[in-house]
Amino acid sequence: MDLQRRFLIMSAAAASLAVPLLSSGVAHAAGDPIRKIILATAAQAADPQEFQAAQLIAQEWRKLGLDVEVRGFPRPQLSDLVWFNRQKWDTTMWRMVGRPERSDPDELVYNLFHSSTAEKGFNFVGYVNKDYDSIAESQRRETNVEKRKEIVGKAQAMVAKDAPYVFLVHPKNTVGYLSTVFKPATVVDQGGIGVRNFWTFVQAEPAGAVKDIIANSTESLNSINPLYISGAPDSWVTELIWDRLMRIGPDGLAKPYAAKDVKWVDPTTLEVTLRPGMMWHDGKPVTPDDVIFSFEATMGDKAPMYKPFASNIASMEKVGADGVRFKLKEPNASFLISTIAKMNLIPKHVWEPVLQGMAGKPQNAESYQEQLPIGSGPFKVARYKLNEEIVLEKNAAHWQAPKFDRWILRVIPNNEAGLGMLRRGELNFLSDYRGDPKLLIDLAAQQKDIQVASTVDMGLRFVGHNLRRKPFDDPAFRQALSVAVNRNLMAQAAWNGFAVPASSMISPALPFWHQGTPPKASLDDAKAILKKAGYEVVGNKLHYPNGVKETLQPE
Amino acid sequence: MRSVAIRFAQMLLVLWAVATILFFLFRLMPGDPTLAYIDTTFTAEQQEELMRQFGLDRSLAEQYLLYFANVIQGEFGTSFRSKRPVFTIIFEVLPNTLALTVLSITIAYIFGVLVGAWLAWRRGSIAEAVGIPLVLTLRAAPEFWLGMVLLAIFAFGLGWLPSGGANSAGMQFSSTFDRLTSPDFLRHLILPAATLALYLQGLPLLLMRSNMLDVLQEDYVMMARMKGLPEWRILLLHAARNALLPVVTAFALGLGASVGGNVVVETVFSWPGLGRVLVDAVASSDYPLAQGAFMFIALILIVMNFVADLLYTVLDPRVSHG
């Protein structure tokens, strides 16, 4: 404290001495030269597109007079640096994947930029702005959709102005399927997700004799467990097996599913009526007790990954023969999507003994793998080998019984082999393709029965600046860096055209919520912004505004 | 008998060393297993909870003792990611890996030994001029390239064989034995096994050939010739038997190494095996699974080494110490 004060006084004294001295010689003085900036990115081998984008960005920033080093890391190491060493990096390439529950803007508006998540949560850039905090909080409370849209728009505008991120692109998700197996008109395109989604698998109609959906995943599955969020392909399987009260529809909005009816009694009371006649895969009926049990299971300590999503529930009670009333601790506009449409309904008669057996022990529900998982969804488990293949059969008793007999997910880590398998019908739904999208499109041009669907994703690629460190604490500096980046070039050169320029954390794939247009790339504009904020180029090197010292070393 | 006991004790010592190195190796790697969970909704509390669950909140010494106590009881714990017992995961993929490895290495060594001996016999012939560069090329070709070429020709091009996996989609079998002996499985096995065999044959072939060239200079071969024995008898019973010794060691060690070292072939052919499990585990800092899988592979390697030593005594009486 004392030291700090002494330092301040001394540096102030030094500055007051130095300024008149210098200004007598030169017209106006610049601050210290800006140190070498390190742009962290995934290594080229780990993510060639991201690495190339980083090179393009560095190239533009260098034209502003910055010394930029692009440094590639293996993914785990990059995460470790950015997440756990929040004082140590300058700026980093980062990504966020698309998920159905991100159809609601709350997660992106709140968790990314609210100051409460700056220390240890996803606000790793350290954006702290009281005005923004109150906007983020109010959109959460606002249950009127139009009013909320306006608030969410304000949040996006504020982020665009303060530029804690350089929004780069929203990649397109490109997958393919055989039109000889699926009637193309019955394949559903879900906004921001693509055609590989729950609705396609349940509603698509066979076009020929093949009654098996054969899809693929490029990675092994971790588990099939309704109380464990364990990985993307795992979630494709669990959402088919376990029903939810509501599901996120193709339009991105929550719609009643296992619930016949969902209505707000007041901003903290939600009443849900179960659809009649639903059965678990073992033949027992689905009851309101099961529903209450499902939510209670996530509220205790036995399902830590789901627990945060149930934290707003104050209590639940049965209403009549088939109703459940949820009492919330506080109003929350995203409750339907982030909680009601997220929690899997699980049978009490299966899970209650399991959870009771774990009481007082360190194990939790995440480590319990049912031999034959029991849900109430449109597909039921026939058998599975998590490293190899999952086989589901249609649940003919379901009110929305699938049109196909089986749903098979094969683990195929080789992308090129995946293409070959689609061509030969060894797969008929290439649901996970991470190779060059152009190859898939070329293949479809050769072989007419291959249909390709390329959808703008909810996912996002961006550069996150560390606002804790100079010069990234200056909004003008960040704004200039953002304007210098050519997003169109990036989408073309780094993503081969399979991406659209980004201007907000909310993808244009969600047209209701999305707002903003990407800034026009211009080095001159960027230079003008820097100049206006007092930055100066001296001998090709960008300097801080007058009086600002460089206090950091490149790490 | 005493020498066998000493070797056995050495084996245990090596296993302990491997287990210890593995333990520290993974914990020294940058990053920890909670990184895999980083997400917009991931909180500091969840991270602490995970560290507690994984036992990583304890001191390194404490973790080590606990780990060791478990290893001695044959308990390798539960995978961080999939939360299933490590042994369940390993034994699920083990039959696939063993089928692939044993078949391809056996083919490679039988082929390598026979052709190697033959090429030594035919020293200076056209067969040698063509054969040796060909063998070297196959040996030098990257496995993934070889695999992709075979896939492109026999699967995507001619359509004779499947493009990946260990079975056709949705096949059902009553037992593992049924599955491993089914025509469907064997059809899926052909391309990966051929790739691996083509890659592996170079070592035994060249080893056998150079040993044979040495042995053929020996006096006892000359003696056999002078006795007027038929050529094939000299080749097989006198020369080859002695030239075979180093190849046996190479076979035993190669088998051990291949069990975990088929990552490339397993990935190209989407073959659900131990190599892929291992790579996934390391990539996601799944310490228990990675440790378990490595220990398992080390065990096979060490046991195979032991077997090679024992085989030596059978093949070469000079080695056995009375």
Side-chain angles (χ1 to χ4, degrees):
Chain A
M1 163 83 190
D2 256 351
L3 254 176
Q4 221 171 2
R5 190 181 299 163
R6 197 183 307 162
F7 176 77
L8 269 174
I9 294 167
M10 275 169 64
S11 48
S16 60
L17 275 176
V19 169
L21 264 178
L22 277 173
S23 53
S24 62
V26 214
H28 52 275
D32 278 353
I34 297 174
R35 70 179 183 281
K36 180 165 80 176
I37 297 297
I38 291 160
L39 171 56
T41 168
Q44 186 163 24
D47 191 335
Q49 293 157 331
E50 181 173 306
F51 189 79
Q52 175 156 20
Q55 298 288 355
L56 291 172
I57 292 166
Q59 199 178 310
E60 297 306 310
W61 289 355
R62 285 183 193 121
K63 291 179 191 158
L64 300 175
L66 278 170
D67 185 4
V68 185
E69 181 192 328
V70 175
R71 199 177 284 173
F73 294 90
R75 278 247 177 248
Q77 220 169 318
L78 182 64
S79 304
D80 190 48
L81 174 70
V82 172
W83 202 266
F84 296 120
N85 296 284
R86 298 194 174 192
Q87 306 293 338
K88 288 203 174 160
W89 49 277
D90 288 328
T91 182
T92 182
M93 305 293 290
W94 204 257
R95 61 177 181 177
M96 217 171 39
V97 298
R99 294 242 187 81
E101 59 265 31
R102 291 189 179 149
S103 305
D104 186 277
D106 181 66
E107 202 178 307
L108 303 177
V109 169
Y110 195 94
N111 295 20
L112 266 50
F113 301 112
H114 192 274
S115 63
S116 64
T117 63
E119 203 189 331
K120 285 180 168 168
F122 201 87
N123 187 355
F124 55 82
V125 294
Y127 178 62
V128 178
N129 180 342
K130 289 224 166 58
D131 296 339
Y132 186 86
D133 283 357
S134 68
I135 292 179
E137 287 156 20
S138 65
Q139 64 79 27
R140 183 171 269 193
R141 282 192 304 266
E142 183 56 67
T143 41
N144 178 319
V145 162
E146 287 301 328
K147 279 188 194 154
R148 185 167 176 231
K149 177 181 176 169
E150 205 174 298
I151 306 172
V152 169
K154 264 193 213 160
Q156 293 176 80
M158 191 173 279
V159 168
K161 187 171 131 284
D162 286 347
Y165 289 179
V166 180
F167 294 108
L168 299 174
V169 296
H170 301 283
K172 286 184 183 174
N173 180 13
T174 307
V175 300
Y177 62 91
L178 298 182
S179 60
T180 44
V181 177
F182 301 88
K183 284 187 188 161
T186 60
V187 170
V188 182
D189 194 348
Q190 181 166 355
I193 298 289
V195 296
R196 187 243 313 118
N197 62 58
F198 173 83
W199 305 104
T200 292
F201 294 142
V202 172
Q203 294 177 349
E205 289 170 18
V210 178
K211 295 287 186 330
D212 285 345
I213 298 174
I214 309 174
N216 76 308
S217 159
T218 55
E219 52 188 89
S220 293
L221 277 79
N222 287 309
S223 69
I224 303 180
N225 183 332
L227 293 175
Y228 180 31
I229 304 174
S230 45
D234 301 25
S235 73
W236 310 341
V237 180
T238 48
E239 69 182 5
L240 294 171
I241 302 170
W242 286 277
D243 266 341
R244 298 162 185 188
L245 288 174
M246 299 180 92
R247 286 185 187 269
I248 294 160
D251 55 2
L253 301 175
K255 64 179 204 175
Y257 195 80
K260 182 177 71 186
D261 190 36
V262 176
K263 65 169 187 275
W264 288 102
V265 179
D266 62 56
T268 55
T269 312
L270 185 76
E271 227 170 78
V272 173
T273 313
L274 274 187
R275 192 179 282 278
M278 289 188 302
M279 302 280 203
W280 297 109
H281 296 155
D282 58 7
K284 297 202 168 80
V286 179
T287 66
D289 286 322
D290 288 317
V291 174
I292 292 175
F293 175 81
S294 305
F295 284 83
E296 273 172 351
T298 59
M299 289 159 72
D301 288 326
K302 294 299 176 191
M305 299 299 279
Y306 271 105
K307 189 176 178 176
F309 303 101
S311 62
N312 196 21
I313 300 175
S315 64
M316 288 170 285
E317 59 176 338
K318 266 199 286 188
V319 181
D322 54 1
V324 176
R325 182 180 296 147
F326 292 82
K327 216 47 204 156
L328 274 55
K329 291 176 186 160
E330 54 189 37
N332 185 337
S334 70
F335 186 73
L336 295 185
I337 282 186
S338 65
T339 306
I340 297 292
K342 190 173 177 84
M343 300 295 184
N344 295 307
L345 297 185
I346 55 173
K348 190 176 180 182
H349 61 273
V350 172
W351 284 92
E352 194 174 43
V354 173
L355 293 181
Q356 273 168 1
M358 288 173 176
K361 292 187 191 154
Q363 295 112 295
N364 64 35
E366 294 178 349
S367 58
Y368 182 74
Q369 178 63 64
E370 291 172 90
Q371 282 302 315
L372 196 68
I374 301 287
S376 62
F379 282 96
K380 52 187 176 186
V381 179
R383 60 190 171 274
Y384 60 90
K385 280 189 183 159
L386 297 173
N387 286 298
E388 196 172 337
E389 179 177 84
I390 315 295
V391 182
L392 306 184
E393 277 164 4
K394 89 166 163 192
N395 176 8
H398 195 271
W399 61 275
Q400 195 184 28
K403 314 287 189 289
F404 280 84
D405 291 343
R406 295 195 299 177
W407 184 89
I408 299 167
L409 186 73
R410 307 186 70 184
V411 178
I412 308 292
N414 180 347
N415 277 303
E416 284 70 29
L419 282 182
M421 292 173 117
L422 179 67
R423 228 182 81 192
R424 300 183 55 200
E426 288 173 82
L427 291 176
N428 50 38
F429 204 111
L430 187 66
S431 48
D432 187 6
Y433 177 64
R434 304 188 185 181
D436 182 357
K438 182 130 194 331
L439 287 177
L440 179 53
I441 289 182
D442 289 349
L443 188 65
Q446 285 167 24
Q447 196 172 326
K448 292 294 166 225
D449 61 338
I450 296 181
Q451 297 285 316
V452 176
S454 202
T455 315
V456 176
D457 206 279
M458 261 187 255
L460 171 67
R461 300 290 188 132
F462 60 92
V463 183
H465 298 309
N466 193 342
L467 274 56
R468 301 169 189 87
R469 281 164 74 94
K470 255 184 215 165
F472 299 103
D473 57 344
D474 180 358
F477 182 80
R478 302 194 301 258
Q479 195 53 257
L481 293 190
S482 172
V483 170
V485 171
N486 187 339
R487 292 159 176 81
N488 279 314
L489 175 72
M490 191 155 295
Q492 294 305 323
W495 274 273
N496 258 339
F498 291 90
V500 293
S503 60
S504 155
M505 56 280 196
I506 300 171
S507 161
L510 302 172
F512 183 78
W513 300 109
H514 170 79
Q515 192 183 300
T517 43
K520 199 177 162 299
S522 161
L523 270 178
D524 291 337
D525 289 355
K527 285 177 185 165
I529 295 170
L530 288 173
K531 196 160 182 205
K532 198 173 153 216
Y535 292 83
E536 208 172 323
V537 178
V538 181
N540 284 334
K541 211 163 164 21
L542 191 65
H543 287 237
Y544 284 105
N546 195 357
V548 180
K549 298 268 170 232
E550 177 60 274
T551 51
L552 296 164
Q553 297 281 322
E555 306 243 2
Chain B
M1 219 45 233
R2 223 182 120 238
S3 67
V4 172
I6 290 173
R7 287 224 182 106
F8 192 73
Q10 284 172 340
M11 221 170 83
L12 289 181
L13 188 73
V14 172
L15 273 175
W16 167 78
V18 170
T20 304
I21 291 170
L22 280 175
F23 176 85
F24 288 104
L25 200 64
F26 286 117
R27 279 154 185 81
L28 289 175
M29 281 195 325
D32 69 54
T34 62
L35 291 174
Y37 295 88
I38 284 183
D39 195 9
T40 51
T41 55
F42 190 57
T43 61
E45 293 76 50
Q46 278 178 316
Q47 200 229 334
E48 276 160 31
E49 168 64 28
L50 281 172
M51 293 300 268
R52 208 167 23 248
Q53 249 182 52
F54 298 161
L56 297 175
D57 56 338
R58 299 161 193 252
S59 74
L60 209 56
E62 224 176 316
Q63 285 181 47
Y64 179 71
L65 288 178
L66 206 67
Y67 160 71
F68 225 82
N70 284 330
V71 166
I72 289 171
Q73 295 166 38
E75 171 62 62
F76 281 86
T78 310
S79 152
F80 286 166
R81 285 281 280 164
S82 81
K83 317 260 175 177
R84 293 190 299 150
V86 165
F87 267 122
T88 311
I89 299 175
I90 292 177
F91 283 108
E92 211 172 77
V93 293
L94 195 63
N96 296 329
T97 289
L98 285 182
L100 174 61
T101 307
V102 172
L103 181 68
S104 52
I105 204 168
T106 308
I107 293 172
Y109 275 74
I110 291 176
F111 175 86
V113 163
L114 293 179
V115 176
W118 181 68
L119 282 179
W121 197 253
R122 301 284 305 274
R123 177 116 221 229
S125 68
I126 294 177
E128 189 191 34
V130 178
I132 297 297
L134 186 68
V135 169
L136 285 173
T137 309
L138 286 173
R139 171 78 193 159
E143 275 173 287
F144 74 88
W145 177 81
L146 206 57
M148 284 309 290
V149 168
L150 291 185
L151 260 185
I153 297 172
F154 295 101
F156 309 153
L158 298 169
W160 292 350
L161 293 166
S163 332
N167 283 109
S168 301
M171 292 289 280
Q172 190 170 13
F173 301 95
S174 51
S175 70
T176 304
F177 179 78
D178 258 16
R179 188 170 81 88
L180 294 182
T181 50
S182 69
D184 183 65
F185 179 83
L186 296 175
R187 251 166 55 81
H188 282 77
L189 185 58
I190 294 174
L191 282 183
T195 306
L196 200 55
L198 281 174
Y199 176 74
L200 291 172
Q201 52 76 38
L203 179 72
L205 192 151
L206 296 173
L207 200 60
M208 188 64 192
R209 177 175 164 273
S210 72
N211 290 336
M212 279 295 278
L213 291 177
D214 285 347
V215 169
L216 289 174
Q217 308 296 319
E218 297 281 344
D219 293 344
Y220 61 83
V221 173
M222 175 94 76
M223 184 67 196
R225 282 219 172 98
M226 284 161 64
K227 283 200 285 192
L229 293 175
E231 287 286 290
W232 64 268
R233 230 189 126 129
I234 303 173
L235 177 69
L236 289 180
L237 295 184
H238 293 258
R241 189 177 166 188
N242 284 297
L244 208 54
L245 285 174
V247 182
V248 168
T249 320
F251 176 81
L253 293 181
L255 185 64
S258 277
V259 167
N262 295 338
V263 184
V264 176
V265 170
E266 287 180 4
T267 305
V268 169
F269 293 98
S270 307
W271 189 261
L274 192 57
R276 256 173 56 204
V277 166
L278 190 70
V279 169
D280 287 351
V282 172
S284 59
S285 301
D286 193 338
Y287 302 158
L289 184 54
Q291 280 165 186
F294 270 119
M295 269 308 278
F296 191 78
I297 290 162
L299 186 72
I300 292 182
L301 201 66
I302 292 165
V303 169
M304 287 317 290
N305 205 357
F306 184 65
V307 169
D309 280 355
L310 294 182
L311 270 180
Y312 251 55
T313 58
V314 177
L315 287 173
D316 187 348
R318 282 171 304 178
V319 178
S320 58
H321 319 280

